[in-house]
Amino acid sequence: MEHPYGYIKDDKVYLKGFLGTADREIGEVKEDEASTLAYFESRFEQLKEKVEKLKTDIQENQNKGSFLMKLIHLRDSLYESDALGDFIPLIDELNQQEEFLNEIIQANRTKNLEVKQALILEAESKKDDTDWRETTEFYKELKLRWIKTGPVEKEIQEEIEAQFNDSVQHFFENRRHFYEGLALQAEENIKVYEALVVQAREAHDLPDAKMAFEISKKIQKEWKSAGKVPAEKRQPLWDEFSRLNNRIFSRYKRTLNPGPQMHPREVMKKVETLTDEIKRLAGQPTTPSLINRAKEIQQEWRKLPPRKPKDANLLARSFQFFSDIVFEKAFLEKLVHGKYADFDEKPEAEQIQIKTALLKDLLHRDQTEYDTAQGNSDNFQTRSSDFEIMMKKKLFGLKRKVDVKNYILKQLSFK
């Protein structure tokens, strides 16, 4: 049975060749020849509808170039479709649409090239900018614009991408080097701040209030001229530095305005009373009320005249020693309760064992610091009188820290 675009032979349905293709079998007769041909004609109508729908989509959508691959796939499928009809007009229609899309794509790529060349110039103009925050935001926005801009011709795609990325990368490499340099400088600056804190501690421990004040003024000027460091690293150093200098100034101010004079006998009596009380507190278990009383005793001690009778020197050292014991024991309590939430529920023997172990660790650290300071002091070739005083005071303080911990260890061993 014949058909304008095919035929039936031996119950097989054939599509006549077109555009250089050979005749091709597309199916077989199922019920009768007429219904079979009608079936394959309806399949062709479906293909026509697909072509028409694609044309409509191209006309109605702004991004027409996105339909090119869909068009090519549809056209290729027409050569292999199992349908009966005139395929040539459909293919011609799709060829015309392809030409139309190619013209649009070519125009778009030309436009895209112009846009990207302008973006490259923008990227190039800011690549050496050192306003890191503002220019970083500029490049973030520029990269978004670049991504949103469509493609250019494949032959120059890599070259265009490289030109843009080189400028962007140039800026971010400069920024990275800058911040790496800042980080290195900050590490050096931190060492300066740490050294100034050490000097503040040593000045704070000097017996001569005026000398301590002069050193304090000098190191405060140095602090102001020290370089930048991250706030979270600088703040703890500043807290200690300012606290020490405030105490130095307060002590110096008291020497200028000593207040009401006390008779030496009154001073000795007060020194003995305060020393006896702090010694008594040092032998008792740590409690919040005990610590508060120890602080009050220290405040009373500070109100005493800076110059005390010679007979008070030994008592003054004893007062300092037992004060340190009170607060060292409080620090130890804080440590063990921070490490063991159930510390108070543990047996007394285990509590003593935990405290002893922690205290030995702290003692080892202090002993090492004392030995190092002693060695460094012995190695100095040139010494001024001020230096001698500072070093003796520092070594005395470190030795007292060691003695305090040894004293507490003995207390624990007797429990």
Side-chain angles (χ1 to χ4, degrees), residues 335-392:
L335 277 183
V336 295
H337 283 88
K339 192 169 184 180
Y340 302 95
D342 60 343
F343 181 79
D344 291 333
E345 285 73 46
K346 294 182 181 293
E348 184 180 6
E350 187 177 351
Q351 290 182 3
I352 293 172
Q353 184 181 10
I354 291 170
K355 287 183 177 179
T356 301
L358 279 173
L359 197 55
K360 284 182 177 179
D361 287 341
L362 296 172
L363 175 60
H364 175 72
R365 183 192 63 186
D366 288 346
Q367 184 69 56
T368 301
E369 186 179 0
Y370 173 73
D371 293 341
T372 301
Q374 181 72 62
N376 290 341
S377 175
D378 294 340
N379 291 331
F380 277 106
Q381 301 295 325
T382 305
R383 305 182 180 195
S384 64
S385 59
D386 290 348
F387 177 82
E388 287 280 359
I389 294 172
M390 287 184 67
M391 285 306 300
K392 285 180 180 179

Side-chain angles (χ1 to χ4, degrees), residues 165-183:
N165 289 332
D166 284 350
S167 295
V168 175
Q169 195 62 31
H170 179 88
F171 167 77
F172 283 103
E173 280 293 308
N174 284 350
R175 190 187 71 161
R176 181 176 65 83
H177 292 317
F178 173 78
Y179 282 112
E180 285 177 353
L182 278 187

Side-chain angles (χ1 to χ4, degrees), residues 34 41 44 86 102-103 146 250-251 275 361 367 378 382 398:
E41 287 173 345
F44 180 77
D86 188 359
N102 281 331
E103 289 177 1
W146 181 274
S250 297
R251 181 161 64 113
T275 302
D361 287 341
Q367 184 69 56
D378 294 340
T382 305
L398 292 173

